[in-house]
Amino acid sequence: AQSVTQLGSHVSVSEGALVLLRCNYSSSVPPYLFWYVQYPNQGLQLLLKYTTGATLVKGINGFEAEFKKSETSFHLTKPSAHMSDAAEYFCAVSGAYGGSQGNLIFGKGTKLSVKP
Amino acid sequence: DAGITQSPRHKVTETGTPVTLRCHQTENHRYMYWYRQDPGHGLRLIHYSYGVKDTDKGEVSDGYSVSRSKTEDFLLTLESATSSQTSVYFCAIGDRTTGETQYFGPGTRLLVL
């Protein structure tokens, strides 16, 4: 079984500051890991994903995340926040072996606010 | 955006009435999913389909049924709507050859009075 914990339901940063959104997962099989972003009144959009290979994954809009197996973490970072980054961010995990374990399990989300 | 549409986009209904939400895709993806999104709960899987007429339950399937008679359409039915089913419903599609990536529709906002 898989589960996801996102630390902090709300994070506020100043424009230009580092963005760090935390995600820890639990999985009984090798995981696939994802970050999605949701802007107000819209569906979810994939930011980046880790399946296999390089553990540092780069995504859209300058975001990146690092898979750390020893820490069971997949934290999302961006060096310099923009006002347009204000949104809700969801971390998700699925099992690499497919079947019902291939379904996505989502964290509860972190709402990012960016102050001018 | 991936070719996913949801209808209706907004609906207000009364307790006890049946409601059907439709998800339509033009991407020919094998997998289709229905989620509900509620504050403080993230997204929770209701049902999913892995092919025409092949469906399975998710985490919160009680009170919901689904049908998939064509690759492109996945219907979610609330047989007798309750106020606890007031939520935003998202459809997603996926192709597990792309590492489980799912693509989401715009959502349907349902209010049950």
Side-chain angles (χ1 to χ4, degrees):
Chain A
Q2 293 89 32
S3 67
V4 175
T5 301
Q6 290 184 239
L7 295 176
S9 57
H10 289 86
V11 170
S12 182
V13 301
S14 297
E15 193 172 21
L18 172 71
V19 175
L20 171 60
L21 304 182
R22 299 178 187 273
C23 173
N24 288 89
Y25 70 92
S26 166
S27 180
S28 56
V29 298
Y32 290 160
L33 294 157
F34 305 80
W35 276 100
Y36 283 85
V37 60
Q38 184 181 33
Y39 299 102
N41 299 313
Q42 294 187 26
L44 278 71
Q45 178 183 358
L46 181 68
L47 265 182
L48 50 81
K49 66 180 181 182
Y50 167 80
T51 53
T52 59
T55 56
L56 181 63
V57 180
K58 295 187 185 300
I60 62 172
N61 301 337
F63 284 93
E64 63 182 36
E66 186 171 11
F67 169 54
K68 292 188 176 180
K69 184 178 179 180
S70 61
E71 298 177 9
T72 61
S73 69
F74 192 58
H75 302 329
L76 182 70
T77 60
K78 182 174 180 177
S80 176
H82 294 164
M83 297 296 292
S84 59
D85 294 328
E88 190 158 21
Y89 293 79
F90 293 92
C91 182
V93 64
S94 70
Y97 296 151
S100 62
Q101 290 185 329
N103 292 333
L104 287 178
I105 304 297
F106 285 88
K108 294 186 182 342
T110 298
K111 196 162 289 188
L112 176 66
S113 301
V114 182
K115 298 175 290 186
Chain B
D1 288 344
I4 312 170
T5 56
Q6 293 184 232
S7 58
R9 294 293 312 281
H10 301 270
K11 186 169 182 68
V12 180
T13 191
E14 294 188 349
T15 297
T17 60
V19 176
T20 295
L21 308 183
R22 179 179 183 242
C23 178
H24 178 78
Q25 63 151 325
T26 59
E27 305 296 319
N28 202 37
H29 281 309
R30 179 183 173 195
Y31 285 82
M32 298 185 75
Y33 307 84
W34 277 109
Y35 293 90
R36 59 178 291 172
Q37 182 178 27
D38 304 289
H41 289 276
L43 277 83
R44 294 179 290 174
L45 182 65
I46 305 172
H47 282 279
Y48 69 102
S49 169
Y50 47 96
V52 173
K53 292 185 168 41
D54 292 322
T55 65
D56 205 352
K57 296 179 180 180
E59 178 188 356
V60 290
S61 59
D62 287 349
Y64 301 95
S65 63
V66 290
S67 65
R68 190 168 178 200
S69 58
K70 298 185 290 185
T71 298
E72 57 267 34
D73 290 324
F74 192 33
L75 304 181
L76 176 71
T77 297
L78 291 64
E79 301 289 349
S80 178
T82 67
S83 59
S84 64
Q85 293 175 313
T86 291
S87 187
V88 181
Y89 291 86
F90 286 98
C91 175
I93 63 175
D95 179 349
R96 293 197 173 180
T97 61
T98 61
E100 316 296 339
T101 302
Q102 293 182 19
Y103 303 93
F104 285 78
T108 293
R109 194 171 293 270
L110 177 67
L111 174 61
V112 183
L113 300 174

